[in-house]
Amino acid sequence: MIRSKRPSASRWAAKIAVAAIATTAFFSLPAETQAQQPTLTFSAIPNQDETHLLDRFNKIAAYLSKELGVQVKYVPMKSYAAAVTSFRNNHVQLAWFGGMTGVQARIVVPGSVAIVQGEEDPKFVSYMIANSATRLKEMKTLDNSIRGKTFTFGSKASTSGRLMPEYFLRQHYKEYPEKVFSRVGFSGDHTKTIELVESGAYDIGVVDYTVYNAAVKNGKVDTKKVSIIWTSPPYPDYNWSIRGDVEKTFGPGFIKKVQDAFLKMKDPELLSAFPRKSFIAASNKDFQIVEDNARKLKLLD
Amino acid sequence: MSLISLTRETIGWKARDVLVDIDLHVEPGERIAFLGRSGSGKSTLITHLYRRLTAAGKAVSLIPQDHALVPPLSVFHNVYMGQLDRRSTFYSIANLIKPLKKEVGDIRPILSEISLEPEIFQSVEKLSGGQKQRTAIARAFFRGGEIILGDEPVSAIDEKQSARVLEAIRSRFQTALLALHNVDLARTYCDRIIGLKGNKIVIDAPAKSIERADIDSLYAA
Amino acid sequence: MLGLILAPIHHLRPVRALAATLRAIHELFWALLFLQVFGPSALTGIVAIALPYTGVFAKVYSEMLEEADRRPDELLPPNTGAVVRFIYARVPMALAPFRIYTMYRVECGLRSSAVLGFIGLPTLGFELDTFFKVAKFENVAAVLIIYYVLIGTIRWWLRPVLLPFYLIGSAVLLFSLGGPPFELSNLLRFLTSDIVPQPLRNADLSLASTWSAFWTWLSMLLSNQAWPGLINTFLVTQMALAVTMIVAFLGFPLIVPRLTGKLGGIGGNVLLVVGRSTPEYMLVYIFLQMLGPSMLPAIVALGLHNGAIIAHLLGRQAEAITPNLRPDAPKGFNLYLYEYVPRLYGNFLAYSFYRWEIILRESAIVGILGVKTLGFFVDGVITEIRLDRAIILIGITVLATFVVDWIARAIRRRFKLSMNDRNSKERALVEP
């Protein structure tokens, strides 16, 4: 039985709506074929606040466009998951991922490859930072002084803000972080983690060391209130990954061209935005350890 | 063959009998007026007869006392609903979106007959009480059939108009069963008068032979 | 953005059996799922809002039809077809409540679409989230003011006559926005692979080992995520309900001038309007920023929002009974305690039970913000790109909603609680 029907007064509105939807559908379907000049769309995991990222990646878009001779567009993402999903759905073809999201993305998009990483990325570390009110001292290795405190990770899918620190914590304490700390949260991104620890909302947090160092350098964090109490062992992290099927659209050898464009990026202004000293070549197997750890933590099936 | 044949029948709503042990026989071609005080059972009887005749498969039109119109729709559409069973679904939907020429052509003359033609595309909720009543009448006319049942069909219309409506009813329908409150109209336009009082039929006589005093007794306490 | 709001109200294809389920899943959960298929596009927003609203409309419209005058329908010629009967004699009779309710829903749509911004769709919530993250509080205030103005002036700009223009406008706008292209393969993958439980995916379903693996998978999911999520969700729900009741009870006198004076009445009105027209998700978000991450902000925010809604309804009823008070009625606090409270108590309980189910749905979704209710775990598994788990967790939310609804209904029946004056606007506010 029909249960609802539009009021007759808006019957015309209804017809127009149908027409509008049909029109939209009509126009959006051939959008792919419409674009005679294919655009390379790229994105990045939102590991820091957004205005910062927008500024950074629009410059990169201009640079890549010049180097590659194709249109390049940056689209911002609201979450780590959205970045991976967009890559998977071919809404973006190239992305600046963390170690973990890169692994996720390359698993769900067969044929995709990690092409470049920062010079710092093969030996990346996380900082554990603490609010000064906790009076925690810097420790060489993890110890029991941090037990019972409140603790925040960054994003749930962050390598430096979750996966690797959780791995090291579990390895050391042999129990879940929820048992070690009195409360465990996820701030969402590194900037937010720093803020929350600085404000005292959480006693301790773990962050990407490049983001933290940059925040200190730019005076964005009050070092009287926050200090580093632990530095994690090194692990591989960020990377640029690209879909394998881009060569169908942009021609054979395109992946190599993109890789080269990054490798010869020397402009300190562009590089400092990441911040990285330079980019070096990378391959999927460089991130095997991240993948293995993710499986151990059951973050991957 | 009688159209209606009730013998010692009791009619009423769930818990309350309105008319008890009544006898009523109606032949085709009769024009009958039901008279009585309000609450005497006229409406109940009309509704009962409508159900009975419809169930028997007769082509019946009804002008209910409450009009049962659809206020947001136009006079045209309300009248059109009289023949909704004789059109295809698709056709009716099209006609709802845009009134079709053929239907407008059929309905317009009916409306002019009862002076409602200028209001044809007015929505019913904007009409006066009398106009609403005439819309209900027009719907019954458009529906057509052998028999018309009317529950106070001219209660909201002035005397001159009422006369024209009742005249039209006479010419359009073979048989008419009308609950009326205006005694003079009943005597002029009907052949037989039935008076209801105290759960019973107390008068049943040809209009010509009936005395004014008999009728007045219906309304006495 | 207009498209996000307006499109949903105009393509309703109600399926009665589905309606309850559609309704039980909050638009934010729908959006999280469809983000996986359509990306952060307007289409995601439209579908995410349209689905639950379809469920709501189906229910409410059908109730309105049941209450509408049936006489014209009964008078139609006996052999009239069902469809024609329906559109000629049934729908027009319920047109007025339809219109009021639809307008109200547009307001809700506005709220919902703003909230969807928090998870990445380009609406007001997106801006709000961004400004909060970079601590530009003056911009936060500006966005909030724009939002209140939009809601506050709704009766002037939202007219049935203008709808076609809005629709065309929003269609054009949508088209010009572009967004990621729609690809059928993504939808197919989502339906045939992503949401199939991982142990069953590409597995031999005739093998016992497949099913034992599935069972291990399911029990892990249930004990590690669903169960703690469920407990926290109920915790937040019950506490928020308690706060709701307190706020409602103390709040309704605010808009009764007899109790608080003329000036107090105006002030109270503003307070309650802000409380009830700010989306609950936005309130929780703001409270989380202010109070830090814990269950407390969620409880307070949900309590304030729902309390304001009930207080508003009670206040209006209190207004209605004011003229009937005896001339020598007491004043001030005694008036409140002896005259108003006893009269409104039944309604107050009825309203609270109606909101119970809604509070549950809201408690579940605010988990996305970090409070460890079901939404937290849904967001978590989506981050892990495990949509099969997401579907199961959302399914559990739906079941929880049904259970609470069922209990609330039983209680209402048992104590014969019902709302006295259920007009369509009122119903809209208390029911989902």
Side-chain angles (χ1 to χ4, degrees):
Chain A
M1 184 187 148
I2 300 174
R3 275 292 165 169
S4 89
K5 182 65 187 86
R6 255 173 304 283
S8 77
S10 48
R11 181 158 291 107
W12 280 104
K15 286 168 121 186
I16 292 165
V18 172
I21 290 163
T23 320
T24 323
F26 176 77
F27 279 111
S28 56
L29 278 177
E32 200 83 341
T33 47
Q34 230 174 33
Q36 280 104 3
Q37 237 199 330
T39 304
L40 178 71
T41 311
F42 76 96
S43 190
I45 49 168
N47 63 335
Q48 294 180 62
D49 71 55
E50 205 168 283
T51 41
H52 188 106
L53 297 178
L54 205 64
D55 186 44
R56 170 208 287 183
F57 286 111
N58 280 335
K59 282 181 195 152
I60 301 292
Y63 170 81
L64 285 178
S65 190
K66 196 175 85 213
E67 291 291 319
L68 300 172
V70 298
Q71 278 187 22
V72 181
K73 194 177 102 191
Y74 165 68
V75 288
M77 293 291 159
K78 205 87 204 169
S79 71
Y80 282 41
V84 176
T85 302
S86 297
F87 188 75
R88 180 186 201 190
N89 288 348
N90 201 12
H91 296 152
V92 304
Q93 293 81 43
L94 173 72
W96 175 240
F97 285 126
M100 170 71 190
T101 40
V103 166
Q104 283 182 327
R106 292 190 299 274
I107 286 175
V108 294
V109 184
S112 57
V113 284
I115 48 172
V116 184
Q117 56 189 331
E119 195 185 315
E120 294 86 342
D121 287 306
K123 289 189 183 311
F124 211 81
V125 295
S126 302
Y127 284 155
M128 189 180 281
I129 56 172
N131 186 290
S132 53
T134 61
R135 296 171 188 278
L136 286 169
K137 299 257 160 39
E138 184 165 3
M139 43 190 182
K140 273 273 164 284
T141 56
L142 292 170
D143 61 34
N144 285 339
S145 65
I146 57 173
R147 274 188 184 272
K149 304 285 184 212
T150 58
F151 176 88
T152 184
F153 287 118
S155 161
K156 287 171 194 161
S158 166
T159 312
S160 57
R162 196 250 173 122
L163 173 69
M164 295 312 293
E166 181 169 352
Y167 174 74
F168 295 128
L169 285 168
R170 294 245 305 251
Q171 216 182 23
H172 181 268
Y173 294 105
K174 310 274 185 243
E175 52 189 358
Y176 288 103
E178 285 79 5
K179 297 265 186 257
V180 177
F181 302 106
S182 61
R183 192 169 79 217
V184 175
F186 291 91
S187 72
D189 64 51
H190 301 298
T191 312
K192 194 82 206 164
T193 302
I194 299 172
E195 268 173 37
L196 288 175
V197 173
E198 183 172 348
S199 74
Y202 283 102
D203 298 331
I204 307 173
V206 279
V207 289
D208 171 321
Y209 86 107
T210 61
V211 174
Y212 185 77
N213 286 346
V216 172
K217 198 173 125 201
N218 300 330
K220 291 271 180 64
V221 51
D222 184 350
T223 47
K224 281 201 215 71
K225 287 191 188 148
V226 184
S227 60
I228 302 164
I229 57 166
W230 177 69
T231 304
S232 77
Y235 54 85
D237 202 344
Y238 293 83
N239 57 87
W240 282 101
S241 289
I242 192 162
R243 286 178 65 98
D245 55 12
V246 285
E247 302 213 331
K248 272 193 226 138
T249 319
F250 299 95
F254 186 74
I255 295 178
K256 182 82 177 62
K257 266 172 79 179
V258 177
Q259 190 177 31
D260 289 342
F262 281 112
L263 293 179
K264 68 181 190 198
M265 189 187 283
K266 292 288 174 265
D267 183 351
E269 195 197 334
L270 287 178
L271 287 167
S272 70
F274 283 89
R276 295 291 183 271
K277 288 203 199 79
S278 70
F279 283 113
I280 60 173
S283 69
N284 290 3
K285 66 177 181 347
D286 294 335
F287 303 91
Q288 192 59 46
I289 177 124
V290 176
E291 184 174 339
D292 294 344
N293 287 341
R295 284 189 203 285
K296 280 181 204 148
L297 297 188
K298 298 211 182 304
L299 293 175
L300 282 173
D301 289 318
Chain B
M1 200 194 96
S2 288
L3 269 179
I4 297 163
S5 188
L6 305 180
T7 315
R8 300 187 62 80
E9 199 132 346
T10 295
I11 303 167
W13 305 104
K14 276 170 202 155
R16 198 169 65 91
D17 293 337
V18 180
L19 295 168
V20 182
D21 284 348
I22 57 163
D23 293 302
L24 176 64
H25 301 275
V26 179
E27 300 301 322
E30 284 196 283
R31 272 88 187 213
I32 303 175
F34 295 97
L35 296 178
R37 295 189 350 177
S38 61
S40 61
K42 289 173 296 184
S43 294
T44 310
L45 186 57
I46 294 277
T47 312
H48 178 80
L49 294 178
Y50 176 70
R51 295 224 173 102
R52 196 174 255 246
L53 289 165
T54 315
K58 303 280 181 206
V60 201
S61 291
L62 173 69
I63 307 167
Q65 191 170 25
D66 56 28
H67 313 329
L69 298 168
V70 181
L73 294 184
S74 67
V75 171
F76 167 78
H77 284 120
N78 271 283
V79 174
Y80 173 80
M81 283 162 75
Q83 290 198 12
L84 214 49
D85 57 336
R86 282 171 241 170
R87 306 284 189 273
S88 79
T89 299
F90 178 76
Y91 184 88
S92 289
I93 292 173
N95 188 51
L96 185 61
I97 294 166
K98 189 179 178 344
L100 300 171
K101 257 206 194 89
K102 179 190 171 295
E103 302 299 334
V104 178
D106 287 353
I107 287 170
R108 208 181 277 278
I110 296 175
L111 293 178
S112 36
E113 199 175 335
I114 52 173
S115 317
L116 202 58
E117 199 265 329
E119 283 81 20
I120 182 163
F121 294 124
Q122 278 266 12
S123 68
V124 166
E125 56 203 352
K126 292 198 185 107
L127 299 182
S128 70
Q131 288 171 323
K132 281 181 184 153
Q133 187 159 51
R134 277 180 279 151
T135 308
I137 292 166
R139 181 179 57 194
F141 284 6
F142 188 60
R143 177 145 169 70
E146 317 145 46
I147 311 158
I148 188 164
L149 290 163
D151 191 354
E152 300 284 1
V154 291
S155 58
I157 308 175
D158 66 55
E159 198 125 345
K160 225 174 100 201
Q161 285 266 12
S162 299
R164 284 173 60 189
V165 167
L166 291 173
E167 191 53 54
I169 287 178
R170 276 184 78 94
S171 64
R172 280 175 173 273
F173 296 89
Q174 194 191 9
T175 310
L177 303 166
L178 308 171
L180 292 173
H181 66 290
N182 185 319
V183 180
D184 294 331
L185 285 174
R187 282 159 64 120
T188 314
Y189 290 97
C190 296
D191 321 320
R192 180 176 162 195
I193 285 177
I194 292 177
L196 303 173
K197 190 179 184 185
N199 302 340
K200 300 259 185 259
I201 291 178
V202 292
I203 300 175
D204 187 349
K208 291 194 193 77
S209 66
I210 207 156
E211 291 299 324
R212 181 76 210 203
D214 295 337
I215 295 173
D216 285 345
S217 73
L218 284 175
Y219 298 94
Chain C
M1 182 163 147
L2 271 174
L4 290 184
I5 304 155
L6 293 178
I9 352 167
H10 284 286
H11 53 266
L12 311 164
R13 290 292 173 277
V15 183
R16 178 94 169 123
L18 229 63
T21 313
L22 288 179
R23 246 188 350 258
I25 301 178
H26 195 276
E27 50 266 26
L28 271 169
F29 279 158
W30 282 118
L32 278 178
L33 288 179
F34 286 108
L35 269 174
Q36 305 301 314
V37 183
F38 305 126
S41 66
L43 188 60
T44 303
I46 293 171
V47 177
I49 295 181
L51 285 176
Y53 279 36
T54 303
V56 172
F57 275 122
K59 174 173 179 251
V60 175
Y61 279 0
S62 78
E63 279 174 9
M64 287 173 176
L65 282 171
E66 268 160 39
E67 283 163 25
D69 188 353
R70 275 175 185 276
R71 285 174 304 181
D73 181 45
E74 282 159 4
L75 191 76
L76 284 181
N79 297 322
T80 309
V83 177
V84 185
R85 197 172 261 281
F86 185 71
I87 61 170
Y88 267 85
R90 305 284 290 122
V91 172
M93 300 309 289
L95 209 58
F98 275 12
R99 199 172 290 157
I100 295 172
Y101 187 77
T102 308
M103 288 294 153
Y104 165 75
R105 269 289 145 185
V106 171
E107 191 184 323
C108 296
L110 206 64
R111 251 180 276 170
S112 302
S113 82
V115 162
L116 291 184
F118 284 98
I119 58 165
L121 293 165
T123 62
L124 276 182
F126 189 92
E127 304 295 324
L128 204 62
D129 183 48
T130 308
F131 291 135
F132 253 117
K133 281 194 172 148
V134 297
K136 288 198 174 145
F137 297 109
E138 67 278 14
N139 295 15
V140 171
V143 173
L144 279 178
I145 288 168
I146 290 175
Y147 174 76
Y148 287 127
V149 168
L150 214 56
I151 294 276
T153 57
I154 202 161
R155 78 182 72 159
W156 290 292
W157 58 263
L158 192 73
R159 305 256 164 164
V161 237
L162 293 177
L163 277 183
F165 296 99
Y166 289 143
L167 278 162
I168 295 170
S170 44
V172 170
L173 198 67
L174 270 182
F175 177 54
S176 69
L177 277 178
F182 170 72
E183 280 176 48
L184 194 62
S185 60
N186 290 335
L187 183 61
L188 287 178
R189 187 201 60 215
F190 174 77
L191 291 176
T192 59
S193 165
D194 287 0
I195 60 171
V196 179
Q198 188 262 333
L200 303 184
R201 223 177 283 158
N202 306 321
D204 186 347
L205 294 186
S206 62
L207 288 178
S209 63
T210 306
W211 291 101
S212 76
F214 172 66
W215 178 243
T216 322
W217 177 86
L218 191 64
S219 52
M220 282 286 280
L221 179 62
L222 292 182
S223 64
N224 290 348
Q225 305 194 307
W227 186 240
L230 206 55
I231 289 181
N232 285 336
T233 305
F234 273 114
L235 224 69
V236 172
T237 304
Q238 292 319 108
M239 310 258 272
L241 184 64
V243 177
T244 296
M245 291 169 100
I246 295 168
V247 170
F249 227 94
L250 299 179
F252 86 81
L254 285 180
I255 58 169
V256 183
R258 180 85 183 244
L259 288 167
T260 44
K262 219 180 184 105
L263 226 66
I266 294 170
N269 242 322
V270 171
L271 220 65
L272 292 188
V273 165
V274 169
R276 75 190 151 93
S277 56
T278 312
E280 61 286 349
Y281 194 80
M282 215 185 260
L283 268 184
V284 175
Y285 185 90
I286 293 169
F287 275 72
L288 271 171
Q289 305 292 327
M290 289 177 351
L291 302 177
S294 70
M295 280 190 193
L296 184 69
I299 292 165
V300 174
L302 290 181
L304 278 179
H305 175 72
N306 289 294
I309 289 175
I310 298 179
H312 166 76
L313 294 172
L314 289 179
R316 285 203 357 208
Q317 287 183 1
E319 267 305 78
I321 57 176
T322 300
N324 305 332
L325 291 175
R326 61 200 157 90
D328 60 341
K331 291 199 175 9
F333 187 65
N334 281 336
L335 176 67
Y336 168 71
L337 210 59
Y338 284 91
E339 296 288 340
Y340 284 113
V341 170
R343 285 166 211 237
L344 295 172
Y345 195 68
N347 274 349
F348 162 73
L349 285 181
Y351 289 148
S352 301
F353 282 120
Y354 273 108
R355 289 303 294 189
W356 193 16
E357 178 202 341
I358 305 178
I359 296 175
L360 180 86
R361 286 192 325 146
E362 291 170 350
S363 304
I365 53 136
V366 298
I368 299 171
L369 291 169
V371 186
K372 287 184 183 161
T373 60
L374 280 163
F376 173 82
F377 295 99
V378 172
D379 182 53
V381 293
I382 282 182
T383 302
E384 294 160 16
I385 323 283
R386 284 163 162 166
L387 304 179
D388 46 351
R389 298 183 187 207
I391 294 280
I392 294 203
L393 291 176
I394 290 175
I396 285 169
T397 316
V398 171
L399 289 181
T401 315
F402 286 164
V403 168
V404 162
D405 184 41
W406 179 76
I407 297 173
R409 226 182 281 227
I411 295 176
R412 287 201 305 264
R413 249 200 316 275
R414 175 106 167 65
F415 295 100
K416 300 200 168 55
L417 296 170
S418 78
M419 290 177 282
N420 291 338
D421 56 343
R422 300 201 341 163
N423 65 45
S424 36
K425 175 102 188 197
E426 225 94 302
R427 173 187 1 243
L429 280 167
V430 284
E431 289 183 37

